[in-house]
Amino acid sequence: YHLLCVIQRTLRESGIRHHWATLRTHLSGQVRVTTSMVNDKGQAIHIRHTSEPEPVHVKIYNALGLPVRPLRRLTTIE
C-alpha cells in the first residue's frame, strides 16, 4: 500500500492524476514477448524483447524516473 501511495503521489506531482486501475490498464499495453524457433541445425532459438512503449507509457515512466525499456533483448540458443 505504501509503495502504491508513493507512486500515485509522484505521478500527481507530474500532472498525471489517474486511478490505479487506469494506470494498470495503460501499462498493460507494453509487454515482454518471446519468439521461439528451431534453426536448420535443430537448435531451439528463443528471442525475448519488450514491445515499443506508447506515448502514455513514456509519460508515466519519465514521471517515475524509470527507463522506458528496462530489459534488454535476450537471445538464447539451446
Side-chain angles (χ1 to χ4, degrees), residues 4-46:
L4 171 62
C5 290
V6 169
I7 290 170
Q8 287 183 309
R9 184 187 74 221
T10 303
L11 292 174
R12 267 194 317 272
E13 290 170 355
S14 295
I16 301 171
R17 302 184 182 282
H18 298 300
H19 292 283
W20 184 246
T22 304
L23 289 169
R24 283 190 355 219
T25 300
H26 285 314
L27 293 174
S28 69
Q30 187 177 25
V31 295
R32 189 95 166 127
V33 179
T34 302
T35 304
S36 299
M37 63 196 90
V38 177
N39 67 11
D40 57 352
K41 298 176 185 176
Q43 299 170 312
I45 300 172
H46 307 283

Side-chain angles (χ1 to χ4, degrees), residues 2 6 29-30 32-33 42-43 47-48 55 58 64 68 76:
H2 179 70
V6 169
Q30 187 177 25
R32 189 95 166 127
V33 179
Q43 299 170 312
I47 302 170
R48 189 163 176 91
V58 174
L64 294 172
V68 295
T76 58

Side-chain angles (χ1 to χ4, degrees), residues 8 60 78:
Q8 287 183 309
I60 293 168
E78 300 174 352

